[in-house]
Amino acid sequence: MKKHIPNTITCCNLICGCIATYFALQPAARYDVALAFIIGGAVFDFFDGFLARLLHVSSPIGKELDSLADNITFGFAPAAMVFSLLRETMPQAAANPVLSAIPFLAFLIAAFSALRLAKFNLDERQTTSFIGLPTPANALFWGALITGYHDTLTALPAATWWLSGGVLCSSLLLVSEIPMFALKFKHFGWKGNALRYSFILCSLVLLALQGPKGFASVIVLYILVSVIAAFVQKSSRQ
């Protein structure tokens, strides 16, 4: 019986992604609800792997199911949110076949998330850290950005082009070769975990000050800290 527990949790993650997508694609999109279900999916995503290791029931099917669920919750759901927002920023596009195609750029997020997940499954370098932006981080960034700054984004004259550029940048970050640290603790001492503890503390401060939209700032901080840490580590080796 216990062997089915992690896969059940993974399916809960997938269902969260489906529900998030539903609310993102409504005529009057509920971005806040979509973000809530993406966050819920992230919680399930953490616990399925944790329970699989705890119960010693890891399996190949669980690994594959996890990637499929992640691409729905952290690939397709945020892509749907960006798609809906792009349509909001260019209501005049319906009369122009070329412009009306621009919102579909959002689904590059789903495609590159799938590539990132497939790469992760095969890349043996990513056992203790990540190479490229993790899909949950990318999903939280877009979900928090759209939910927290919706009115600002829709009021920007060039919002369509900024968002399209952001889609391209985040898609490339997903499959980049940039080393990014993981919040995986081998022990709980300060030595060896200083970066992780400092990041967690700063993240809690940002979330306390900004609320849910603070997740966007947290992910930007995560990328910047990862890049700086990788540069410092590379310099120390030379």
Side-chain angles (χ1 to χ4, degrees):
M1 183 66 183
K2 68 179 182 180
K3 69 179 181 180
H4 298 297
I5 294 174
N7 289 346
T8 301
I9 300 298
T10 301
C11 288
C12 290
N13 170 17
L14 190 151
I15 291 169
C16 281
C18 293
I19 297 173
T21 303
Y22 168 80
F23 281 102
L25 293 177
Q26 290 297 296
R30 290 294 308 274
Y31 298 117
D32 54 338
V33 180
L35 174 59
F37 277 99
I38 288 175
I39 293 173
V43 173
F44 285 123
D45 184 50
F46 171 80
F47 280 106
D48 63 0
F50 175 79
L51 288 172
R53 291 187 295 271
L54 181 67
L55 300 173
H56 304 290
V57 290
S58 297
S59 66
I61 192 172
K63 183 178 180 181
E64 299 303 323
L65 181 62
D66 184 66
S67 292
L68 292 170
D70 284 355
N71 197 42
I72 295 297
T73 305
F74 308 128
F76 188 48
M81 294 180 73
V82 178
F83 174 78
S84 291
L85 183 62
L86 279 170
R87 289 204 299 180
E88 281 191 67
T89 64
M90 46 189 311
Q92 76 286 359
N96 187 314
V98 176
L99 290 179
S100 63
I102 290 177
F104 290 93
L105 283 173
F107 294 110
L108 285 173
I109 294 173
F112 277 84
S113 294
L115 286 170
R116 193 269 180 283
L117 290 163
K119 180 182 176 182
F120 178 80
N121 285 346
L122 299 174
D123 195 340
E124 296 180 356
R125 299 173 297 169
Q126 301 190 57
T127 54
T128 58
S129 61
F130 300 115
I131 297 176
L133 183 64
T135 54
N138 189 55
L140 287 172
F141 169 78
W142 282 111
L145 182 75
I146 293 171
T147 301
Y149 299 96
H150 173 266
D151 293 342
T152 302
L153 290 169
T154 52
L156 283 175
T160 300
W161 310 113
W162 282 108
L163 288 168
S164 298
V167 167
L168 295 175
C169 287
S170 70
S171 295
L172 292 175
L173 279 172
L174 286 166
V175 295
S176 71
E177 287 292 307
I178 299 174
M180 298 194 178
F181 68 92
L183 295 177
K184 297 178 181 179
F185 294 85
K186 292 183 179 179
H187 60 84
F188 295 102
W190 176 261
K191 188 176 181 180
N193 291 318
L195 179 64
R196 295 178 180 86
Y197 281 129
S198 299
F199 173 74
I200 290 171
L201 179 61
C202 291
S203 298
L204 291 174
V205 171
L206 286 171
L207 292 173
L209 292 174
Q210 299 181 348
K213 67 181 181 181
F215 279 111
S217 300
V218 168
I219 302 308
V220 172
L221 177 66
Y222 172 68
I223 295 169
L224 291 174
V225 170
S226 294
V227 171
I228 293 170
F231 177 78
V232 170
Q233 188 176 29
K234 184 178 180 181
S235 298
S236 65
R237 292 174 180 172
Q238 294 176 348

